[in-house]
Amino acid sequence: MKNKRKNSKKRSNKNKFYSKKTSKSVLDEIIRVDHAGEFGATRIYEGQIAVFGKNSKIGKTIQHMADQEQEHIETFEKLIIKNRVRPTAFLPIWNITGFALGAATALMGEKAAMACTVAVEAVIGNHYDEQAKILGADQKKLKKTILKFKEDELEHHDIGMKHDAENAPAYKILSKVITAGCKTAIAISKKI
Ligand SMILES: [Fe+2]
Ligand SMILES: [Fe+2]
């Protein structure tokens, strides 16, 4: 009996080791945090557009990024429903802080708004990259989606760089604070 138990334990460990299946808890965390992040991104750009106006030159550039974020959030809204994932309880907070971050950086000027984009998109781009590595072979479609979105986020990052983000006032501090804020938001949204 003891031996039998031992063998079955061995077998299950072996299966675990060779398993290419993404666990439900990992999948839930990935979908929850990405849904939260994309929602936050739409709110940041909305905050910036509210300050600059959508018909200004910079407003149009931001609108292009906002349109892609809209596609991203709609995709994760569908995934939340399909996979029965509980969205983060912090959505109302990201709703306000996202918009406030966008509006505040826009009020500091175009370069500061772009510095915000650079910081946020760098964190999200890296985060998508890490997730793509974690996902098992059973989640090929989601992996493809995440890698496609990562390319969009890196494009946003590059748009920010092209718009002189690094010459924003207090760029280093601004960038550090926003990066830290994003990482905290990610840690919270994964679990809560
Ligand atoms: Fe996005
Ligand atoms: Fe983005």
Side-chain angles (χ1 to χ4, degrees):
M1 186 65 187
K2 213 178 169 185
N3 269 349
K4 202 177 168 191
R5 239 194 346 253
K6 230 183 178 174
N7 283 341
S8 77
K9 199 179 171 196
K10 229 184 197 172
R11 215 169 24 243
S12 73
N13 277 344
K14 196 178 164 191
N15 284 343
K16 202 173 162 190
F17 185 73
Y18 289 108
S19 171
K20 298 252 172 95
K21 198 176 180 314
T22 313
S23 76
K24 173 71 177 147
S25 62
V26 167
L27 186 65
D28 280 9
E29 277 188 15
I30 287 177
I31 294 174
R32 182 181 304 117
V33 71
D34 291 354
H35 174 258
E38 294 299 348
F39 176 67
T42 62
R43 295 299 288 154
I44 290 171
Y45 290 131
E46 276 166 17
Q48 293 183 341
I49 291 169
V51 171
F52 293 129
K54 60 179 175 192
N55 294 320
S56 63
K57 196 171 170 238
I58 191 83
K60 282 177 187 162
T61 304
I62 296 169
Q63 189 62 53
H64 160 72
M65 301 191 280
D67 289 344
Q68 284 176 323
E69 302 303 356
Q70 192 56 38
E71 185 201 325
H72 299 176
I73 183 66
E74 282 171 14
T75 301
F76 279 105
E77 269 165 4
K78 282 180 198 150
L79 285 167
I80 281 256
I81 295 166
K82 189 181 155 209
N83 294 278
R84 296 169 185 255
V85 176
R86 173 185 59 77
T88 172
F90 273 67
L91 278 187
I93 307 289
W94 305 147
N95 186 14
I96 295 166
T97 52
F99 189 90
L101 176 63
T105 50
L107 286 168
M108 289 168 69
E110 292 185 8
K111 288 175 189 168
M114 288 297 172
C116 172
T117 294
V118 167
V120 170
E121 302 291 7
V123 173
I124 300 182
N126 281 335
H127 189 238
Y128 276 154
D129 226 13
E130 282 165 23
Q131 286 182 341
K133 285 176 197 152
I134 296 169
L135 283 168
D138 61 323
Q139 291 295 333
K140 271 191 191 130
K141 200 176 164 200
L142 178 59
K143 192 172 172 171
K144 208 175 150 196
T145 300
I146 282 176
L147 288 173
K148 155 75 176 69
F149 290 177
K150 183 195 89 173
E151 290 306 314
D152 292 345
E153 314 304 6
L154 294 181
E155 185 203 326
H156 301 167
H157 170 274
D158 294 349
I159 289 172
M161 292 300 274
K162 267 185 218 147
H163 283 79
D164 227 9
E166 286 176 308
N167 287 320
Y171 174 74
K172 277 191 179 158
I173 297 170
L174 190 64
S175 177
K176 259 190 190 166
V177 170
I178 295 172
T179 301
C182 285
K183 286 183 180 171
T184 308
I186 286 173
I188 292 172
S189 303
K190 259 188 207 171
K191 305 283 180 191
I192 305 173

